[in-house]
Amino acid sequence: MPSEFTSGDRGIAVDLDGAAALFGVVDGLGHGPDAATAALRAVDAVKRASSERLEVLIQLCHRVLTGSRGVAMTLARIDFATNTLAWTGVGNVTADLVAKAPTGVEVRSSARLSAGIVGYRIPEIRPAQTLSIRPGDLLVISTDGIGEDYLEHIDFAAHSVTIAEDLLSKHAKETDDAMVLAARHRGVST
């Protein structure tokens, strides 16, 4: 957020021995140092237990963050052998699977998120939703610091880091921290 020195929004990207990858975005409630502390605690917990099921990771974060400001978070795991994406989230960190289409950008699927605050009150976490993905598909996860309709003009020729930076620079709100994570599925990992 403008005038702040630390962000409460954090990204996660973990290689799981070349067989899979874990991605996520965590939004510490509010902004500033307390939000950043909560987000960093969640990121650390996820990275330490990254091989666990996504639902277990969120429950672990809930326990670790009890008494903190809390976070909204969405996690996604891509399995390269089966070309599948599993995702789940609590709060308002959106996740979309997008593809290039003749008419522009096609949103192939969006994560179903549960209401709640990790660290304060979460619902029973449903098993992660799983769907098939294709090489070239782009996973985009963003916090509520990004304005709506931000997916309409993605340059699919750009590197995923450039796509995330472009979305952030063009669509970040000045009233909140903002984070965009973009990861392109390139097929079987080598």
Side-chain angles (χ1 to χ4, degrees), residues 64-80:
V64 168
L65 293 171
T66 299
S68 75
R69 183 172 277 196
V71 302
M73 65 187 300
T74 295
L75 299 174
R77 179 175 283 123
I78 295 176
D79 183 315
F80 300 120

Side-chain angles (χ1 to χ4, degrees), residues 115-126:
I117 300 169
V118 179
Y120 175 65
R121 183 176 299 150
I122 60 172
E124 181 177 336
I125 305 299
R126 296 179 291 207

Side-chain angles (χ1 to χ4, degrees), residues 105-143:
V105 176
E106 171 193 7
V107 177
R108 293 195 50 229
S109 187
S110 298
R112 292 186 310 243
L113 306 174
S114 298
I117 300 169
V118 179
Y120 175 65
R121 183 176 299 150
I122 60 172
E124 181 177 336
I125 305 299
R126 296 179 291 207
Q129 174 190 9
T130 302
L131 57 142
S132 64
I133 58 173
R134 305 179 298 230
D137 283 350
L138 186 70
L139 171 66
V140 181
I141 308 175
S142 65
T143 63

Side-chain angles (χ1 to χ4, degrees), residues 8-10 26-31 34-36 38-39 69-72 143 176-177:
D9 294 0
R10 301 294 169 147
V26 178
D27 180 352
L29 266 59
H31 53 85
D34 290 340
R69 183 172 277 196
V71 302
T143 63
D176 198 0
D177 293 336

Side-chain angles (χ1 to χ4, degrees), residues 10 12 26 34-48 57 60-71 73 119:
R10 301 294 169 147
I12 302 167
V26 178
D34 290 340
T37 297
L40 288 170
R41 284 173 55 191
V43 167
D44 183 57
V46 168
K47 285 183 175 180
R48 281 187 284 116
L57 292 172
L60 173 65
C61 288
H62 183 63
R63 288 192 298 274
V64 168
L65 293 171
T66 299
S68 75
R69 183 172 277 196
V71 302
M73 65 187 300

Side-chain angles (χ1 to χ4, degrees), residues 141-158:
I141 308 175
S142 65
T143 63
D144 64 341
I146 300 296
E148 294 181 21
D149 301 327
Y150 69 100
L151 295 174
E152 292 180 0
H153 303 288
I154 292 175
D155 176 7
F156 276 89

